[in-house]
Amino acid sequence: MANSDYQLLLHGLLDEDILNRYVKLANQQHIRFAIRNDLMYQHTPTSLAIALVANCAITPPTIDIDERFPVPPLNTTTDWSHDVLIDHIHRHLERNRQLFSIKHHLI
């Protein structure tokens, strides 16, 4: 499915830095996006904040992000510096983003 078949819906009450990242990613991948602020979009801890939609069904085996992209437990006794830990997290997230993009033909 081509990227133009997708649309990214973003909840308007997300933090600006999060919105900016997803808008930038959508632009890079040539995916349409919309920021929704209507009252029908709830704002609770379990509310949907980001959705990738298409005209036809997108049916991954699970939509739970923790199940789709499991993070191996970190060794809590490590002597890693804050910067090394942040870099490790960023690399892990980038790897998951790339795997998702490849799997869904976004690149």
Side-chain angles (χ1 to χ4, degrees):
M1 182 179 292
N3 293 353
S4 62
D5 293 340
Y6 291 105
Q7 182 175 15
L8 189 65
L9 300 178
L10 304 165
H11 195 295
L13 293 177
L14 285 169
D15 289 339
E16 187 174 336
D17 64 326
I18 294 171
L19 278 174
N20 289 341
R21 287 184 211 161
Y22 280 96
V23 167
K24 181 179 178 182
L25 181 61
N27 283 325
Q28 288 172 345
Q29 299 298 323
H30 307 289
I31 297 173
R32 293 177 298 135
F33 68 91
I35 299 172
R36 302 293 186 192
N37 293 315
D38 302 342
L39 292 177
M40 69 179 268
Y41 296 100
Q42 300 176 9
H43 186 62
T44 66
T46 59
S47 297
L48 188 61
I50 301 169
L52 182 64
V53 298
N55 291 331
C56 62
I58 303 172
T59 55
T62 179
I63 61 169
D64 186 314
I65 196 150
D66 292 328
E67 289 178 25
R68 290 191 65 191
F69 305 106
V71 177
L74 289 176
N75 181 352
T76 57
T77 60
T78 184
D79 292 331
W80 289 1
S81 72
H82 178 265
D83 292 337
V84 171
L85 181 59
I86 296 298
D87 183 58
H88 176 77
I89 292 168
H90 281 281
R91 282 186 281 123
H92 177 79
L93 292 172
E94 178 61 21
R95 182 178 67 73
N96 284 339
R97 186 194 64 75
Q98 289 174 352
L99 291 173
F100 180 85
S101 294
I102 291 167
K103 181 175 180 180
H104 295 284
H105 311 288
L106 299 175
I107 55 174

